[in-house]
Amino acid sequence: MATAQEPNWSSFDAGFQSIQGLTLHVVRTGAADSDKIPVLCLHGFPDIWSVWCRVITHLPKDRLYVMPDQRGYHLSDKPKELEDYAPEILLEDIRHLILANSPGGKVVLVGHDWGGVLASWFAAIYPEHVAQLILINAVHPVALQMALMTDPAQKAASAYMPALTSGAFEAAWLKDPTSNPFKNWYHEAQTDGRMGPVETALYEAAWSDPDRWRAAIDWYRASPFDLAAGPEMPAWINERDWTIKAPTLLIWGEADTVFTTNTRDSMATYFTQLNVTRLPGIGHNPLRDDPVSVAKAIHIFLDQGKHHV
């Protein structure tokens, strides 16, 4: 596991942006006046904006990096209605974030976990806004649904989803506010150096409100992913062409337990330009487990597109 440089927290400019009638917490760093296309970074569950910081520490500072807390997370608004977390609404958040932070209306779109699934979704529907796509242990949405229908290993790996959406976590927390199932996770990350004390405090604050559980888990509840689907193809898959034409980098920690290698490999058919960087021995979150290698892969990929990005 690579040793990561502790972020210079003062270099991150935190603020708020009005997006689709909500207030989203958006953190920016780098060169706001750069003529290079900005990088928009989308976190997954249960992370917040700061998961990107150690990677960005090792990236060139000659472009703007934008890291929102997505709706329902940390300091961003958490609307009450389930339909407010439907994919089409989340995709519009991305589109509005791009328009608010990129004068040219294009970004290098980067996503991990849920953020990467959503980034793939966005790149398929709004190709005009995506100059390059970078996925970090994340899969194309159609590849995921197909794997849930045909791959017993992926179905087993995703078996946590019904438990997550059942309401049990929120009920347990309301009954006992100390029963945070992720507390041990981020304390362990602090102990082994993958998360410093500043960021641990951010996570403590982010998950101290039990309604954050409801909001974050509503992403799962409102999604169309169905472990019981089949044999007929879900209707949403047939609605459009899901091919992604943007140059795409997939960074993959090979010890991932959330997405299987079969699911990863099945993605190739949905991309016209897909490059894969494999990280042996690294788990589902390379952003924490090996930020140096992630930054190196991103830097090389961005340089390859330097003539048009």
Side-chain angles (χ1 to χ4, degrees):
M1 187 176 295
T3 301
Q5 179 181 338
E6 186 70 11
N8 174 12
W9 294 103
S10 65
S11 68
F12 296 95
D13 182 20
F16 294 88
Q17 296 179 6
S18 179
I19 302 293
Q20 293 202 90
L22 298 183
T23 299
L24 297 189
H25 179 239
V26 180
V27 180
R28 297 164 31 124
T29 191
D33 58 352
S34 173
D35 59 358
K36 293 188 175 182
I37 291 179
V39 179
L40 176 60
C41 303
L42 305 177
H43 66 77
F45 175 89
D47 283 304
I48 61 176
W49 71 271
S50 63
V51 72
W52 300 101
C53 290
R54 290 198 179 192
V55 169
I56 288 175
T57 294
H58 295 276
L59 288 172
K61 305 301 186 289
D62 60 349
R63 70 170 77 216
L64 177 66
Y65 300 89
V66 182
M67 299 158 286
D69 279 323
Q70 299 200 71
R71 65 168 60 204
Y73 283 85
H74 195 207
L75 299 179
S76 289
D77 283 351
K78 49 184 192 302
K80 297 291 187 182
E81 301 302 323
L82 182 60
E83 56 263 31
D84 289 324
Y85 299 90
E88 57 269 24
I89 302 298
L90 302 176
L91 296 176
E92 278 298 294
D93 281 352
I94 298 174
R95 192 174 70 84
H96 284 275
L97 281 164
I98 291 172
L99 296 176
N101 292 280
S102 174
K106 278 193 172 188
V107 294
V108 176
L109 189 58
V110 189
H112 168 249
D113 183 71
W114 243 120
V117 175
L118 200 61
S120 295
W121 208 317
F122 185 87
I125 296 175
Y126 297 108
E128 67 274 17
H129 291 303
V130 182
Q132 290 174 295
L133 177 65
I134 301 173
L135 307 176
I136 304 168
N137 283 81
V139 297
H140 189 289
V142 177
L144 177 57
Q145 181 58 67
M146 295 298 290
L148 292 174
M149 295 169 62
T150 61
D151 182 3
Q154 184 60 65
K155 185 172 285 193
S158 299
Y160 70 92
M161 291 169 60
L164 196 63
T165 58
S166 69
F169 283 116
E170 297 106 307
W173 198 335
L174 287 171
K175 184 177 180 179
D176 177 9
T178 66
S179 65
N180 183 341
F182 288 105
K183 192 169 187 176
N184 289 339
W185 164 71
Y186 53 74
H187 282 179
E188 179 183 335
Q190 180 183 14
T191 300
D192 63 23
R194 290 176 295 134
M195 185 185 293
V198 171
E199 193 174 11
T200 303
L202 289 177
Y203 274 77
E204 291 273 9
W207 292 104
S208 63
D209 177 358
D211 200 34
R212 292 293 175 193
W213 276 102
R214 188 272 313 163
I217 295 172
D218 274 352
W219 280 53
Y220 289 87
R221 295 188 178 109
S223 84
F225 298 119
D226 186 359
L227 272 70
E232 296 296 326
M233 195 81 71
W236 64 273
I237 291 180
N238 296 318
E239 291 176 353
R240 58 179 50 86
D241 179 4
W242 289 95
T243 304
I244 294 174
K245 297 179 181 178
T248 301
L249 171 65
L250 173 63
I251 300 173
W252 194 268
E254 293 200 298
D256 195 342
T257 58
V258 175
F259 300 124
T260 69
T261 55
N262 285 339
T263 303
R264 177 198 69 196
D265 293 344
S266 72
M267 290 172 58
T269 187
Y270 301 105
F271 296 84
T272 61
Q273 304 178 69
L274 180 63
N275 302 287
V276 182
T277 296
R278 294 175 174 83
L279 302 178
I282 299 300
H284 179 65
N285 197 336
L287 298 168
R288 295 203 186 282
D289 293 350
D290 195 351
V292 175
S293 294
V294 172
K296 180 180 179 180
I298 292 175
H299 192 180
I300 292 171
F301 183 66
L302 293 179
D303 275 355
Q304 288 172 344
K306 63 185 176 183
H307 298 299
H308 56 85
V309 178

